[in-house]
Amino acid sequence: MKPCTSRPPASSFRPLLAERHVTRLLVGTLAGRLPNGMAPVAILLLTAEQGGSLAIGGLLCALYGLTSAIGQPTLGRMVDRRGQTRVTTAAVLITSVCLLLLPYTDAVLQPALAAGLVVLAGLSTPPLEANLRALWGAVLPDPERQRVALALDTGAQGLIYVAGPPLVALLSAAHGPGVAMTVTAVLGLLGAATVLSAAPSRAWRPAVAHAGGFLGPLRHGGLRLLFLAVGGVGFALGSMNVWAVAMADRHGVALLSGLIPAALSIGSLVGGILYGRRRWPARLSSQLVTAAFLFAAAWVPLTLAPGPLAATAFTAMPGLFLTALITSAFLTTDALAPAGTRTEAYAWLIAAVGTGQAAGTALAGVLSTGPSAAALPTAGAVACLVVLLGARHRLATPSNPRLRGRHRRAPAHAAHR
């Protein structure tokens, strides 16, 4: 992706975080989504403290991750029809109550009850990420500023998985897994309250009531292929996490299981900053394919069985292109989603990544001791590239530069805005 040589407008040099509501929404969403990175670790440690096996803890973690992905499109559709406040408030309260009850439920003696709480907590995970993407249009009317905010937002999401697990480990070591789970629930509740009490979230209303039909955004064939493609991205990320644990066991360096994913997250944050500082003149479909190609190519060195230091350094490289890929996918979703289905469309994209991640984790767990484990992230990234190449023409967005990455609103919505 060759950056445009023309100098951006002076307004784009103003600190984005100084814009009204931007910092509050970013920080609140990150805090509200911390349970996504903390809860699985807390569930695993809590089950172990109760005398449960690693298999039981792993199953509960998988249930939480899978149901979290499954529940997002349904909640996104409800937000598109009823607004953010009521739907997200109900969701975060249900999730918080379930997480707070888990320390008082014995996963060994009451496995059905523990599994039920985990499933309900996952299904009701508040759609904060999709909500935030839907709010940028109201907070930042300039499309270029929206793109920069989206890139920063996407790059910062990795911090959830950098800060969350170590925080759970520290709390568990000092006060026990029960306290760690309680703190997880409270942080999620406080973060969601920070976002939901902000004026843009309270004022947000759906564009068109009951739009999109039964299929919603899935009625667009290009979007269906896009969601399938980003499932490959999730597969790469999920298999990478298991491969990192296998690397730690193979080399006897326990820190590798955390350092390798952290390297990818840091690379993603840096990539988001770099991506947001430049304008990209190519169409979104071309940006998608280019970013997917670079993302896939960056995984190849990891298939050569590098040592611990090289593996950690190499894993940062896919992260540099991950933000460009995901940001372009969100902008394409924004441009192609039928009116009144934006939040649901964003939620489907998020769910596709989460589902792919669960599949990658499961398959990598089976193949973790074999030589093919290191190639799984590359396979997922290549699958994403192949689907995007085949869907390129169906993902074409309006050619007007002012419309690139913008949601095509119905006249009624424009008047309302």
mmCIF file of all heavy atoms in Angstrom, residues 266-299:
data_model
loop_
_atom_site.group_PDB
_atom_site.id
_atom_site.type_symbol
_atom_site.label_atom_id
_atom_site.label_comp_id
_atom_site.label_asym_id
_atom_site.label_seq_id
_atom_site.Cartn_x
_atom_site.Cartn_y
_atom_site.Cartn_z
ATOM 1 N N ILE A 266 1.848 -5.778 20.408
ATOM 2 C CA ILE A 266 2.623 -4.541 20.309
ATOM 3 C C ILE A 266 2.829 -4.166 18.845
ATOM 4 O O ILE A 266 2.727 -3.003 18.458
ATOM 5 C CB ILE A 266 3.964 -4.701 21.042
ATOM 6 C CG1 ILE A 266 3.720 -4.833 22.554
ATOM 7 C CG2 ILE A 266 4.881 -3.506 20.761
ATOM 8 C CD1 ILE A 266 4.942 -5.203 23.347
ATOM 9 N N GLY A 267 3.114 -5.164 18.011
ATOM 10 C CA GLY A 267 3.235 -4.898 16.583
ATOM 11 C C GLY A 267 1.946 -4.341 16.010
ATOM 12 O O GLY A 267 1.965 -3.439 15.165
ATOM 13 N N SER A 268 0.805 -4.852 16.484
ATOM 14 C CA SER A 268 -0.481 -4.358 16.017
ATOM 15 C C SER A 268 -0.705 -2.908 16.425
ATOM 16 O O SER A 268 -1.222 -2.103 15.641
ATOM 17 C CB SER A 268 -1.603 -5.241 16.582
ATOM 18 O OG SER A 268 -2.871 -4.752 16.220
ATOM 19 N N LEU A 269 -0.312 -2.560 17.647
ATOM 20 C CA LEU A 269 -0.459 -1.174 18.100
ATOM 21 C C LEU A 269 0.418 -0.244 17.281
ATOM 22 O O LEU A 269 -0.025 0.828 16.836
ATOM 23 C CB LEU A 269 -0.106 -1.081 19.585
ATOM 24 C CG LEU A 269 -0.201 0.308 20.211
ATOM 25 C CD1 LEU A 269 -1.610 0.870 20.079
ATOM 26 C CD2 LEU A 269 0.216 0.263 21.682
ATOM 27 N N VAL A 270 1.663 -0.644 17.049
ATOM 28 C CA VAL A 270 2.564 0.171 16.221
ATOM 29 C C VAL A 270 2.018 0.287 14.797
ATOM 30 O O VAL A 270 2.022 1.368 14.195
ATOM 31 C CB VAL A 270 3.980 -0.437 16.219
ATOM 32 C CG1 VAL A 270 4.881 0.303 15.225
ATOM 33 C CG2 VAL A 270 4.587 -0.387 17.617
ATOM 34 N N GLY A 271 1.526 -0.821 14.263
ATOM 35 C CA GLY A 271 0.950 -0.788 12.925
ATOM 36 C C GLY A 271 -0.248 0.135 12.850
ATOM 37 O O GLY A 271 -0.449 0.826 11.836
ATOM 38 N N GLY A 272 -1.064 0.168 13.911
ATOM 39 C CA GLY A 272 -2.207 1.074 13.928
ATOM 40 C C GLY A 272 -1.791 2.527 13.901
ATOM 41 O O GLY A 272 -2.393 3.352 13.210
ATOM 42 N N ILE A 273 -0.738 2.855 14.636
ATOM 43 C CA ILE A 273 -0.243 4.238 14.641
ATOM 44 C C ILE A 273 0.290 4.619 13.266
ATOM 45 O O ILE A 273 -0.001 5.704 12.737
ATOM 46 C CB ILE A 273 0.834 4.403 15.724
ATOM 47 C CG1 ILE A 273 0.219 4.199 17.119
ATOM 48 C CG2 ILE A 273 1.501 5.773 15.624
ATOM 49 C CD1 ILE A 273 1.237 4.144 18.239
ATOM 50 N N LEU A 274 1.074 3.720 12.665
ATOM 51 C CA LEU A 274 1.635 4.005 11.340
ATOM 52 C C LEU A 274 0.543 4.094 10.286
ATOM 53 O O LEU A 274 0.572 4.976 9.411
ATOM 54 C CB LEU A 274 2.651 2.918 10.961
ATOM 55 C CG LEU A 274 3.910 2.832 11.837
ATOM 56 C CD1 LEU A 274 4.767 1.650 11.405
ATOM 57 C CD2 LEU A 274 4.710 4.130 11.764
ATOM 58 N N TYR A 275 -0.427 3.199 10.353
ATOM 59 C CA TYR A 275 -1.514 3.199 9.375
ATOM 60 C C TYR A 275 -2.341 4.482 9.477
ATOM 61 O O TYR A 275 -2.760 5.054 8.469
ATOM 62 C CB TYR A 275 -2.387 1.976 9.602
ATOM 63 C CG TYR A 275 -3.598 1.893 8.700
ATOM 64 C CD1 TYR A 275 -3.486 1.422 7.398
ATOM 65 C CD2 TYR A 275 -4.860 2.268 9.157
ATOM 66 C CE1 TYR A 275 -4.586 1.338 6.567
ATOM 67 C CE2 TYR A 275 -5.974 2.188 8.332
ATOM 68 C CZ TYR A 275 -5.827 1.731 7.045
ATOM 69 O OH TYR A 275 -6.930 1.657 6.224
ATOM 70 N N GLY A 276 -2.581 4.927 10.714
ATOM 71 C CA GLY A 276 -3.397 6.116 10.909
ATOM 72 C C GLY A 276 -2.719 7.410 10.527
ATOM 73 O O GLY A 276 -3.381 8.435 10.327
ATOM 74 N N ARG A 277 -1.398 7.411 10.389
ATOM 75 C CA ARG A 277 -0.664 8.637 10.073
ATOM 76 C C ARG A 277 -0.581 8.898 8.574
ATOM 77 O O ARG A 277 -0.027 9.907 8.162
ATOM 78 C CB ARG A 277 0.753 8.556 10.658
ATOM 79 C CG ARG A 277 0.789 8.651 12.179
ATOM 80 C CD ARG A 277 2.210 8.472 12.685
ATOM 81 N NE ARG A 277 3.072 9.551 12.209
ATOM 82 C CZ ARG A 277 3.238 10.713 12.829
ATOM 83 N NH1 ARG A 277 2.568 10.953 13.945
ATOM 84 N NH2 ARG A 277 4.049 11.624 12.351
ATOM 85 N N ARG A 278 -1.076 8.002 7.754
ATOM 86 C CA ARG A 278 -0.985 8.162 6.308
ATOM 87 C C ARG A 278 -2.361 8.002 5.676
ATOM 88 O O ARG A 278 -3.240 7.344 6.220
ATOM 89 C CB ARG A 278 -0.033 7.107 5.705
ATOM 90 C CG ARG A 278 1.411 7.272 6.139
ATOM 91 C CD ARG A 278 2.048 8.505 5.511
ATOM 92 N NE ARG A 278 3.457 8.606 5.852
ATOM 93 C CZ ARG A 278 3.929 9.226 6.925
ATOM 94 N NH1 ARG A 278 3.083 9.782 7.779
ATOM 95 N NH2 ARG A 278 5.228 9.277 7.156
ATOM 96 N N ARG A 279 -2.508 8.626 4.505
ATOM 97 C CA ARG A 279 -3.704 8.408 3.707
ATOM 98 C C ARG A 279 -3.391 7.346 2.663
ATOM 99 O O ARG A 279 -2.293 7.301 2.126
ATOM 100 C CB ARG A 279 -4.135 9.704 3.023
ATOM 101 C CG ARG A 279 -4.655 10.752 4.007
ATOM 102 C CD ARG A 279 -5.363 11.852 3.262
ATOM 103 N NE ARG A 279 -5.919 12.848 4.165
ATOM 104 C CZ ARG A 279 -6.811 13.749 3.813
ATOM 105 N NH1 ARG A 279 -7.249 13.779 2.574
ATOM 106 N NH2 ARG A 279 -7.265 14.616 4.685
ATOM 107 N N TRP A 280 -4.404 6.522 2.369
ATOM 108 C CA TRP A 280 -4.198 5.426 1.431
ATOM 109 C C TRP A 280 -5.151 5.620 0.257
ATOM 110 O O TRP A 280 -6.366 5.483 0.397
ATOM 111 C CB TRP A 280 -4.441 4.098 2.133
ATOM 112 C CG TRP A 280 -3.649 4.009 3.395
ATOM 113 C CD1 TRP A 280 -4.089 4.235 4.652
ATOM 114 C CD2 TRP A 280 -2.256 3.723 3.513
ATOM 115 N NE1 TRP A 280 -3.072 4.101 5.555
ATOM 116 C CE2 TRP A 280 -1.926 3.786 4.878
ATOM 117 C CE3 TRP A 280 -1.259 3.423 2.587
ATOM 118 C CZ2 TRP A 280 -0.647 3.560 5.347
ATOM 119 C CZ3 TRP A 280 0.022 3.195 3.064
ATOM 120 C CH2 TRP A 280 0.316 3.260 4.419
ATOM 121 N N PRO A 281 -4.603 5.964 -0.917
ATOM 122 C CA PRO A 281 -5.457 6.321 -2.053
ATOM 123 C C PRO A 281 -6.157 5.151 -2.714
ATOM 124 O O PRO A 281 -7.104 5.336 -3.452
ATOM 125 C CB PRO A 281 -4.464 6.976 -3.028
ATOM 126 C CG PRO A 281 -3.144 6.317 -2.718
ATOM 127 C CD PRO A 281 -3.162 6.061 -1.226
ATOM 128 N N ALA A 282 -5.699 3.938 -2.491
ATOM 129 C CA ALA A 282 -6.294 2.782 -3.161
ATOM 130 C C ALA A 282 -7.698 2.509 -2.631
ATOM 131 O O ALA A 282 -8.064 2.906 -1.526
ATOM 132 C CB ALA A 282 -5.408 1.563 -2.954
ATOM 133 N N ARG A 283 -8.492 1.808 -3.462
ATOM 134 C CA ARG A 283 -9.809 1.378 -3.006
ATOM 135 C C ARG A 283 -9.672 0.440 -1.807
ATOM 136 O O ARG A 283 -8.650 -0.220 -1.639
ATOM 137 C CB ARG A 283 -10.548 0.662 -4.140
ATOM 138 C CG ARG A 283 -11.052 1.571 -5.242
ATOM 139 C CD ARG A 283 -11.723 0.738 -6.328
ATOM 140 N NE ARG A 283 -12.326 1.587 -7.334
ATOM 141 C CZ ARG A 283 -13.587 2.012 -7.287
ATOM 142 N NH1 ARG A 283 -14.340 1.676 -6.250
ATOM 143 N NH2 ARG A 283 -14.087 2.777 -8.232
ATOM 144 N N LEU A 284 -10.754 0.358 -1.035
ATOM 145 C CA LEU A 284 -10.718 -0.499 0.145
ATOM 146 C C LEU A 284 -10.485 -1.956 -0.230
ATOM 147 O O LEU A 284 -9.802 -2.682 0.491
ATOM 148 C CB LEU A 284 -12.035 -0.352 0.925
ATOM 149 C CG LEU A 284 -12.167 0.885 1.793
ATOM 150 C CD1 LEU A 284 -13.555 0.964 2.397
ATOM 151 C CD2 LEU A 284 -11.118 0.893 2.888
ATOM 152 N N SER A 285 -11.058 -2.406 -1.350
ATOM 153 C CA SER A 285 -10.849 -3.796 -1.752
ATOM 154 C C SER A 285 -9.373 -4.056 -2.026
ATOM 155 O O SER A 285 -8.841 -5.128 -1.671
ATOM 156 C CB SER A 285 -11.686 -4.122 -2.986
ATOM 157 O OG SER A 285 -11.397 -3.216 -4.044
ATOM 158 N N SER A 286 -8.678 -3.089 -2.630
ATOM 159 C CA SER A 286 -7.239 -3.244 -2.880
ATOM 160 C C SER A 286 -6.454 -3.194 -1.571
ATOM 161 O O SER A 286 -5.481 -3.938 -1.394
ATOM 162 C CB SER A 286 -6.756 -2.148 -3.830
ATOM 163 O OG SER A 286 -7.403 -2.241 -5.085
ATOM 164 N N GLN A 287 -6.862 -2.311 -0.664
ATOM 165 C CA GLN A 287 -6.206 -2.259 0.646
ATOM 166 C C GLN A 287 -6.348 -3.583 1.374
ATOM 167 O O GLN A 287 -5.395 -4.077 1.986
ATOM 168 C CB GLN A 287 -6.813 -1.132 1.486
ATOM 169 C CG GLN A 287 -6.492 0.270 1.022
ATOM 170 C CD GLN A 287 -7.005 1.318 1.984
ATOM 171 O OE1 GLN A 287 -7.028 1.104 3.190
ATOM 172 N NE2 GLN A 287 -7.413 2.447 1.460
ATOM 173 N N LEU A 288 -7.548 -4.165 1.309
ATOM 174 C CA LEU A 288 -7.787 -5.448 1.968
ATOM 175 C C LEU A 288 -6.846 -6.526 1.439
ATOM 176 O O LEU A 288 -6.188 -7.238 2.216
ATOM 177 C CB LEU A 288 -9.231 -5.875 1.751
ATOM 178 C CG LEU A 288 -10.276 -5.461 2.777
ATOM 179 C CD1 LEU A 288 -11.671 -5.770 2.273
ATOM 180 C CD2 LEU A 288 -10.026 -6.155 4.106
ATOM 181 N N VAL A 289 -6.772 -6.646 0.124
ATOM 182 C CA VAL A 289 -5.954 -7.694 -0.479
ATOM 183 C C VAL A 289 -4.479 -7.461 -0.186
ATOM 184 O O VAL A 289 -3.738 -8.399 0.154
ATOM 185 C CB VAL A 289 -6.208 -7.755 -1.996
ATOM 186 C CG1 VAL A 289 -5.211 -8.693 -2.669
ATOM 187 C CG2 VAL A 289 -7.632 -8.220 -2.279
ATOM 188 N N THR A 290 -4.030 -6.219 -0.282
ATOM 189 C CA THR A 290 -2.621 -5.911 -0.015
ATOM 190 C C THR A 290 -2.260 -6.216 1.431
ATOM 191 O O THR A 290 -1.231 -6.839 1.721
ATOM 192 C CB THR A 290 -2.318 -4.444 -0.328
ATOM 193 O OG1 THR A 290 -2.680 -4.164 -1.687
ATOM 194 C CG2 THR A 290 -0.849 -4.138 -0.124
ATOM 195 N N ALA A 291 -3.116 -5.769 2.354
ATOM 196 C CA ALA A 291 -2.846 -6.026 3.769
ATOM 197 C C ALA A 291 -2.873 -7.528 4.068
ATOM 198 O O ALA A 291 -2.059 -8.035 4.847
ATOM 199 C CB ALA A 291 -3.864 -5.297 4.638
ATOM 200 N N ALA A 292 -3.811 -8.267 3.441
ATOM 201 C CA ALA A 292 -3.886 -9.712 3.652
ATOM 202 C C ALA A 292 -2.642 -10.411 3.113
ATOM 203 O O ALA A 292 -2.135 -11.365 3.726
ATOM 204 C CB ALA A 292 -5.139 -10.277 2.982
ATOM 205 N N PHE A 293 -2.134 -9.949 1.974
ATOM 206 C CA PHE A 293 -0.920 -10.543 1.411
ATOM 207 C C PHE A 293 0.274 -10.322 2.345
ATOM 208 O O PHE A 293 1.048 -11.254 2.630
ATOM 209 C CB PHE A 293 -0.633 -9.940 0.039
ATOM 210 C CG PHE A 293 0.698 -10.352 -0.533
ATOM 211 C CD1 PHE A 293 0.860 -11.604 -1.112
ATOM 212 C CD2 PHE A 293 1.807 -9.512 -0.459
ATOM 213 C CE1 PHE A 293 2.093 -12.000 -1.625
ATOM 214 C CE2 PHE A 293 3.033 -9.886 -0.960
ATOM 215 C CZ PHE A 293 3.185 -11.139 -1.546
ATOM 216 N N LEU A 294 0.433 -9.097 2.841
ATOM 217 C CA LEU A 294 1.547 -8.802 3.744
ATOM 218 C C LEU A 294 1.400 -9.552 5.067
ATOM 219 O O LEU A 294 2.387 -10.027 5.636
ATOM 220 C CB LEU A 294 1.619 -7.294 3.992
ATOM 221 C CG LEU A 294 1.972 -6.438 2.760
ATOM 222 C CD1 LEU A 294 1.833 -4.957 3.087
ATOM 223 C CD2 LEU A 294 3.385 -6.748 2.280
ATOM 224 N N PHE A 295 0.159 -9.666 5.545
ATOM 225 C CA PHE A 295 -0.100 -10.398 6.789
ATOM 226 C C PHE A 295 0.293 -11.864 6.631
ATOM 227 O O PHE A 295 0.932 -12.454 7.516
ATOM 228 C CB PHE A 295 -1.578 -10.261 7.150
ATOM 229 C CG PHE A 295 -1.989 -10.946 8.419
ATOM 230 C CD1 PHE A 295 -1.557 -10.492 9.650
ATOM 231 C CD2 PHE A 295 -2.831 -12.057 8.385
ATOM 232 C CE1 PHE A 295 -1.943 -11.124 10.830
ATOM 233 C CE2 PHE A 295 -3.223 -12.695 9.552
ATOM 234 C CZ PHE A 295 -2.775 -12.222 10.770
ATOM 235 N N ALA A 296 -0.074 -12.468 5.495
ATOM 236 C CA ALA A 296 0.266 -13.873 5.253
ATOM 237 C C ALA A 296 1.769 -14.058 5.078
ATOM 238 O O ALA A 296 2.371 -14.994 5.633
ATOM 239 C CB ALA A 296 -0.476 -14.383 4.017
ATOM 240 N N ALA A 297 2.408 -13.156 4.328
ATOM 241 C CA ALA A 297 3.845 -13.274 4.092
ATOM 242 C C ALA A 297 4.642 -13.130 5.385
ATOM 243 O O ALA A 297 5.695 -13.759 5.561
ATOM 244 C CB ALA A 297 4.296 -12.216 3.079
ATOM 245 N N ALA A 298 4.137 -12.311 6.310
ATOM 246 C CA ALA A 298 4.867 -12.070 7.559
ATOM 247 C C ALA A 298 4.895 -13.294 8.470
ATOM 248 O O ALA A 298 5.749 -13.392 9.356
ATOM 249 C CB ALA A 298 4.243 -10.885 8.303
ATOM 250 N N TRP A 299 3.961 -14.246 8.256
ATOM 251 C CA TRP A 299 3.953 -15.456 9.082
ATOM 252 C C TRP A 299 4.960 -16.501 8.593
ATOM 253 O O TRP A 299 5.338 -17.405 9.355
ATOM 254 C CB TRP A 299 2.559 -16.102 9.071
ATOM 255 C CG TRP A 299 1.546 -15.419 9.909
ATOM 256 C CD1 TRP A 299 0.477 -14.692 9.465
ATOM 257 C CD2 TRP A 299 1.470 -15.393 11.338
ATOM 258 N NE1 TRP A 299 -0.253 -14.211 10.533
ATOM 259 C CE2 TRP A 299 0.339 -14.633 11.691
ATOM 260 C CE3 TRP A 299 2.258 -15.934 12.358
ATOM 261 C CZ2 TRP A 299 -0.032 -14.400 13.018
ATOM 262 C CZ3 TRP A 299 1.889 -15.706 13.684
ATOM 263 C CH2 TRP A 299 0.774 -14.950 14.001
#
